[in-house]
Amino acid sequence: MSSHTDSNSPYADTTPQPDALQQEAPPHVTGRQGTNPETGYPENGQNHPLQDPARQSLLNVRAEVAKAVVGQDSTVTGMLIALLCGGHVLLEGVPGVAKTLLVRALSTALSLDTKRVQFTPDLMPGDVTGSLVYDSHTSEFTFREGPVFTNIMLADEINRTPPKTQASLLEAMEERQVSVDGVSRPLPSPFIVAATQNPVEYEGTYPLPEAQLDRFLLKLTMPLPGRAEEIEVIRRHASGFDPRNLSAAGVRPVAGAVELSEAQEAVAQVTVAPEILAYIVDVVRATRSAPSFQLGVSPRGATALLKTSKAWAWLSGRSFVTPDDVKALSLPCLRHRVGLRPEAQMDGIAVDDVLGSILASVPVPR
């Protein structure tokens, strides 16, 4: 069976690159639906992004973030997908690629609250979740909220803090609440963690265990900018750009919690055919038998791939999932849920290359 979709199939779509989130816009839809040559979106009124204010608002977020951040459109798209799915994101990139600026600009464009925590070896769990503080005036202990009580929490260099503090995030990430002194306190909605780690420097770090890595919906890589993009970064700074003043850069709110909630409801209505469900399972099961992997993707990874594929389809202007939606999200959704064998690491084999081979070998629904 061919690895490409049939042009006469209802799942026909453009074949994505290995990581289709690197595209600067949702993929154009071909096949049975006609596309507008100016917008590249389907002519079908029901699925046209411009017919859905919530979708158009979220698509406008990328334009707002681009006023402050250059060349990271794919990461912004990944963050939007995470918000639509209510999942968390692991951002991997060397220092200086605007991870903090991107999160701040995204939260501004979405009218969401954000807090940043620099994870260090001496950071305590209470510094993240909050703690009981004695009030001398009332002679009672009161709870002081930690930075986790926000909409988007930027956990900077999460692998530089000990496992005890890393684990303090587990309940917040999974249950959307924190428990202090036997009392559970709900977190704001929406809530996601955007954790960063340096892919190069490992001295003095505490790698995240597999159980916590599996809690992240997506792992997004933030590459260094290309030459033209870096020139644009320098030009903006030469013109007086101040990364601490987003309002001066023109970043403004274009969506909010209401639009995000409406978008989440719309994503939930995206349909998935039985053969697409089977395709997702086949891709996930193939990771468990790949010779280069000692750890394959769990069923939680399969459900994550399903959720993100539905969100990507909706952002792309469709009410159904195609195999190419699954391919587009496979790398960012699965790359942190697998483990290479030591001999594969010694041979210089990359996780993304193995996943790419799996996607090329698993039969695609026709």
Side-chain angles (χ1 to χ4, degrees), residues 158-216:
I158 191 174
N159 57 339
R160 290 207 172 277
T161 201
K164 183 177 182 180
T165 305
Q166 292 176 356
S168 68
L169 276 178
L170 275 177
E171 182 185 12
M173 293 172 65
E174 191 69 18
E175 305 295 337
R176 265 58 176 185
Q177 67 178 24
V178 297
S179 298
V180 178
D181 196 33
V183 179
S184 298
R185 295 174 170 85
L187 297 175
S189 180
F191 168 75
I192 71 167
V193 172
T196 74
Q197 63 180 17
N198 187 336
V200 178
E201 186 179 357
Y202 293 106
E203 185 176 352
T205 62
Y206 304 85
L208 292 171
E210 286 76 10
Q212 188 156 0
L213 281 173
D214 205 34
R215 260 55 175 201
F216 287 97

Side-chain angles (χ1 to χ4, degrees), residues 186-265:
L187 297 175
S189 180
F191 168 75
I192 71 167
V193 172
T196 74
Q197 63 180 17
N198 187 336
V200 178
E201 186 179 357
Y202 293 106
E203 185 176 352
T205 62
Y206 304 85
L208 292 171
E210 286 76 10
Q212 188 156 0
L213 281 173
D214 205 34
R215 260 55 175 201
F216 287 97
L217 183 72
L218 299 172
K219 179 181 178 181
L220 305 175
T221 57
M222 295 186 66
L224 289 168
R227 183 175 183 273
E229 294 168 339
E230 197 160 4
I231 290 175
E232 174 61 18
V233 171
I234 300 300
R235 186 197 66 77
R236 293 188 182 188
H237 280 267
S239 301
F241 171 71
D242 183 359
R244 292 174 292 274
N245 189 355
L246 293 178
S247 60
V251 181
R252 60 186 179 85
V254 293
V258 173
E259 287 81 5
L260 188 58
S261 178
E262 293 174 351
Q264 290 172 338
E265 293 178 2

Side-chain angles (χ1 to χ4, degrees), residues 278-303:
Y279 178 57
I280 291 174
V281 170
D282 290 342
V283 169
V284 168
R285 291 179 65 86
T287 66
R288 302 170 192 164
S289 58
S292 297
F293 288 156
Q294 64 179 356
L295 176 68
V297 178
S298 69
R300 180 188 284 127
T303 59

